[in-house]
Amino acid sequence: MNGPVDEAASRTAGGADITITLLGKPGCHLCDDARTVIERVAADLGVAWTERDITRSEDDTREYWEQIPVTLINGVQHDFWRVDEARLRAALAELQKSH
């Protein structure tokens, strides 16, 4: 994958039914760092990813403002503030085994 994908297009051969979601906001340098890690990991493992701007939703803004960037895997919160690449890879590998 060369960038975020539509949720409906999140099925890939290696990471079937696995989607990473990056929650962030414009101008967030930590979000830029997280995006770089997520792009690399998603491409390496064949997993889809998408990005959501929390400022477009009052609920997201309220829930995640103090935590961004937030990483979700299949809608479940995995990390916040920073993305640990090794931890993300391990979590995805575990999910890929079960699919």
Side-chain angles (χ1 to χ4, degrees):
M1 302 274 142
N2 291 328
V5 296
D6 184 301
E7 294 278 348
S10 66
R11 310 298 183 245
T12 62
D17 299 326
I18 299 173
T19 302
I20 305 166
T21 304
L22 171 61
L23 304 179
K25 70 179 183 79
C28 168
H29 73 280
L30 291 177
C31 300
D32 295 339
D33 295 345
R35 184 181 306 106
T36 299
V37 173
I38 290 169
E39 284 177 336
R40 180 173 48 246
V41 171
D44 287 353
L45 299 180
V47 173
W49 74 281
T50 188
E51 187 167 356
R52 195 163 80 214
D53 177 355
I54 66 164
T55 65
R56 294 178 168 238
S57 161
E58 287 182 30
D59 290 340
D60 282 352
T61 299
R62 192 176 318 103
E63 186 169 351
Y64 298 111
W65 186 263
E66 297 292 326
Q67 298 179 354
I68 60 167
V70 175
T71 307
L72 309 177
I73 300 175
N74 289 348
V76 176
Q77 188 167 335
H78 171 73
D79 261 332
F80 62 97
W81 293 335
R82 300 217 182 256
V83 177
D84 180 302
E85 184 168 344
R87 186 172 131 73
L88 180 59
R89 285 181 183 278
L92 293 169
E94 208 42 51
L95 278 175
Q96 285 179 321
K97 278 190 223 173
S98 68
H99 278 89

